[in-house]
Amino acid sequence: MNKRILCVAMVMTLFVTCYYPVSATTISEAKKQKSAAESKLKSVNDDIEEIEMDKEVMEEEAAEREAELVDLLLAIDVIKGDIKNKEKEIEIAQEEYDAALEKEKQQKIAMDKRIKFMYEKGEESYVERLLISRSYVEALNKASYTEKLYEYDRYLLFQYQQTKEEVKEKKEELENDLEDLEEIKADAEEQQAALEEKIDEYSEMLEDFDLQLAACRSKAKEYQAEITKQANSIKELEAEERRRIQEEARRKAEEEARRKAEEAAARKRAEEAAAAEKKSSEESSDSDSESSESHSESSSSSSSESSSSSSGGGGGSARGQEIANFACQFVGNPYVAGGTSLTEGCDCSGFTSAVYSNFGISLPRTSGSQAGYGREVSYSEAAPGDIIYYGGHVGIYIGNGLIVHASTPATGIKITNALYRSIISVRRIV
């Protein structure tokens, strides 16, 4: 496109430096100059039309980029909020983990004390417990109680260990989610910078378009003025040509009349005997001749005028489940910014549009456009095949609180908890 603009600029410069129309001295020259100006005007008008079309396309592209930027800024704000929430959840999980760890530690200390009390003194202590019992039943009860106390301690210790592991896993999951969000945020900020740079570039190019249009329109006015000038010149030259033809016809008619008068006078002197008859005959002949000449002159004038005038110019469904199942088979494939290939790589909106395309459904290309496609349903009504929009990001709901989506360049296409980010909208496509 820049080459085309440069080419137009060079052509305009050529027009300015090389086109100096001169006044025509003949109708043919005037017509040639008028034709040349018309040809150049057509060329300039074609350039204007092409530049206006390119400008319109550029304006549409700039508007699309601005819309993408607005959507991306919204997504970045949402992601920042999600990151803050995730950090708070991680803090809470860390506190729960520390508490579980401390309980495990204290229970282990208590259990160690009981074990030490029960077993470190050996069999004698245990026998003493039996001997001081008042009955065999009491001895059995004490032994049973001691065993149950030991089992209870082990049970509590197991519970605290299990709680500790669960909290640890939850914390690790939250930290992984946070890493994803940080990566998404960084990627979105890179996209923001690229879009802002692209919008600035479009603004400069649109200014160039305006400059080129102004130059072309100015040159078009010059050519139009030249065409008008040459048209007026043609009219003047044609009028002058008609006057010359008429003057020439008048002169020839006078000469012919004078010649005939002289011939008549000679015949009159030579034929006085038949003067009356010959004179009458000669006068009749002269009258017919003059009438013919007048008719010829009129026809010639009419033909000239005619020639001159002719030189002028003129809802959730089985199909949704099929879509969700189909989407899941691409888990593990790579994430590629701007990509639309389910196997070679795609971004989030490229993934959703490619999946739906396999079912004969055409979706808009960007996530912001997909956010307005289909009809909105609440998350509680979400069904497999629905598209969940998070603000700058989309995924396909597969049921059980999960989505499949093209996440980040690091993780590619994967299955994630649907609530790992704040949901903006759920869209029902089928």
Side-chain angles (χ1 to χ4, degrees):
M1 188 177 293
N2 290 331
K3 291 182 178 179
R4 192 202 60 72
I5 294 175
L6 180 61
C7 181
V8 172
M10 293 175 64
V11 172
M12 296 305 304
T13 304
L14 185 63
F15 287 163
V16 172
T17 56
C18 299
Y19 184 68
Y20 293 101
V22 295
S23 299
T25 57
T26 65
I27 294 175
S28 176
E29 290 177 353
K31 286 183 177 180
K32 285 181 180 179
Q33 291 182 9
K34 179 172 176 287
S35 177
E38 287 173 342
S39 177
K40 290 184 173 69
L41 176 61
K42 182 180 181 302
S43 177
V44 172
N45 284 334
D46 289 342
D47 288 337
I48 290 174
E49 182 178 355
E50 185 176 355
I51 293 172
E52 287 177 338
M53 290 174 63
D54 289 345
K55 181 183 176 183
E56 184 177 347
V57 171
M58 185 65 65
E59 288 174 339
E60 291 177 357
E61 292 180 358
E64 289 179 2
R65 298 296 86 78
E66 289 174 353
E68 287 182 20
L69 180 59
V70 170
D71 185 60
L72 192 61
L73 292 173
L74 170 63
I76 290 174
D77 288 340
V78 173
I79 291 169
K80 287 179 179 177
D82 288 343
I83 288 175
K84 288 182 180 179
N85 293 335
K86 200 67 69 175
E87 288 173 343
K88 290 180 180 178
E89 291 178 15
I90 291 173
E91 289 178 4
I92 294 171
Q94 183 64 49
E95 291 173 0
E96 292 176 353
Y97 177 76
D98 293 340
L101 195 63
E102 180 62 25
K103 286 184 178 181
E104 178 196 8
K105 179 180 177 182
Q106 295 300 325
Q107 184 61 26
K108 190 173 187 305
I109 292 172
M111 185 176 177
D112 288 343
K113 287 181 179 180
R114 287 191 179 92
I115 292 172
K116 182 177 181 181
F117 178 78
M118 292 172 60
Y119 298 108
E120 282 186 354
K121 291 185 178 181
E123 188 67 25
E124 181 181 354
S125 177
Y126 189 72
V127 172
E128 287 176 356
R129 284 175 174 270
L130 295 177
L131 291 176
I132 64 175
S133 298
R134 289 175 293 180
S135 67
Y136 179 71
V137 173
E138 183 181 353
L140 290 177
N141 287 339
K142 287 183 178 181
S144 175
Y145 173 77
T146 302
E147 187 67 22
K148 287 179 179 179
L149 184 62
Y150 171 72
E151 291 296 330
Y152 178 70
D153 285 340
R154 289 186 61 189
Y155 171 73
L156 287 180
L157 181 61
F158 173 76
Q159 275 193 322
Y160 290 135
Q161 289 175 338
Q162 188 176 33
T163 301
K164 182 191 72 173
E165 291 302 320
E166 288 176 355
V167 173
K168 181 179 179 183
E169 290 177 1
K170 180 179 178 182
K171 177 174 173 288
E172 290 175 352
E173 181 181 350
L174 290 171
E175 287 174 345
N176 290 334
D177 288 345
L178 180 61
E179 289 179 3
D180 286 348
L181 288 171
E182 293 286 1
E183 186 172 353
I184 291 170
K185 176 175 173 288
D187 184 58
E189 289 173 346
E190 288 181 7
Q191 293 180 41
Q192 176 187 349
L195 281 171
E196 289 174 346
E197 182 179 351
K198 196 67 177 178
I199 289 170
D200 291 340
E201 181 182 341
Y202 285 151
S203 298
E204 293 177 1
M205 295 179 71
L206 287 171
E207 289 178 3
D208 291 339
F209 279 128
D210 289 336
L211 291 174
Q212 293 300 324
L213 285 171
C216 287
R217 286 168 179 158
S218 175
K219 188 53 60 178
K221 288 181 180 179
E222 292 182 20
Y223 290 144
Q224 186 61 58
E226 178 61 23
I227 291 170
T228 302
K229 176 183 175 182
Q230 295 301 335
N232 292 334
S233 177
I234 290 171
K235 289 180 180 179
E236 292 175 1
L237 290 171
E238 287 179 341
E240 183 179 343
E241 180 68 11
R242 285 195 297 272
R243 288 192 297 271
R244 186 186 65 77
I245 292 173
Q246 289 173 355
E247 180 64 23
E248 182 68 16
R250 186 189 62 77
R251 185 184 62 77
K252 287 182 179 180
E254 288 178 352
E255 289 179 354
E256 183 67 15
R258 186 167 53 252
R259 183 183 64 79
K260 289 182 177 180
E262 290 174 354
E263 288 178 353
R267 284 193 297 273
K268 183 178 181 181
R269 288 190 299 270
E271 300 177 355
E272 280 187 356
E277 184 177 353
K278 288 184 178 181
K279 185 177 180 181
S280 177
S281 177
E282 288 175 357
E283 288 176 354
S284 177
S285 175
D286 289 343
S287 176
D288 291 343
S289 176
E290 288 176 359
S291 176
S292 175
E293 291 170 357
S294 176
H295 178 71
S296 173
E297 178 182 347
S298 176
S299 297
S300 174
S301 176
S302 174
S303 173
S304 174
E305 290 175 0
S306 174
S307 173
S308 173
S309 110
S310 69
S311 66
S317 64
R319 195 176 189 198
Q321 186 64 61
E322 290 177 5
I323 291 172
N325 294 342
F326 176 78
C328 288
Q329 66 180 308
F330 300 102
V331 170
N333 287 347
Y335 175 104
V336 175
T340 58
S341 172
L342 295 172
T343 55
E344 299 300 322
C346 56
D347 58 16
C348 65
S349 56
F351 174 71
T352 53
S353 60
V355 168
Y356 269 87
S357 176
N358 277 270
F359 292 85
I361 299 172
S362 177
L363 295 184
R365 177 60 185 85
T366 63
S367 59
S369 298
Q370 291 180 12
Y373 200 74
R375 65 183 178 89
E376 185 172 17
V377 298
S378 66
Y379 174 68
S380 62
E381 298 173 325
D386 290 349
I387 288 180
I388 296 185
Y389 174 64
Y390 296 93
H393 188 71
V394 287
I396 297 175
Y397 187 70
I398 61 175
N400 298 322
L402 301 174
I403 62 167
V404 59
H405 62 141
S407 178
T408 66
T411 58
I413 299 173
K414 69 175 187 176
I415 294 175
T416 304
N417 189 314
L419 297 177
Y420 87 109
R421 289 177 57 181
S422 298
I423 293 175
I424 303 298
S425 178
V426 180
R427 311 303 299 186
R428 178 68 50 78
I429 308 301
V430 296

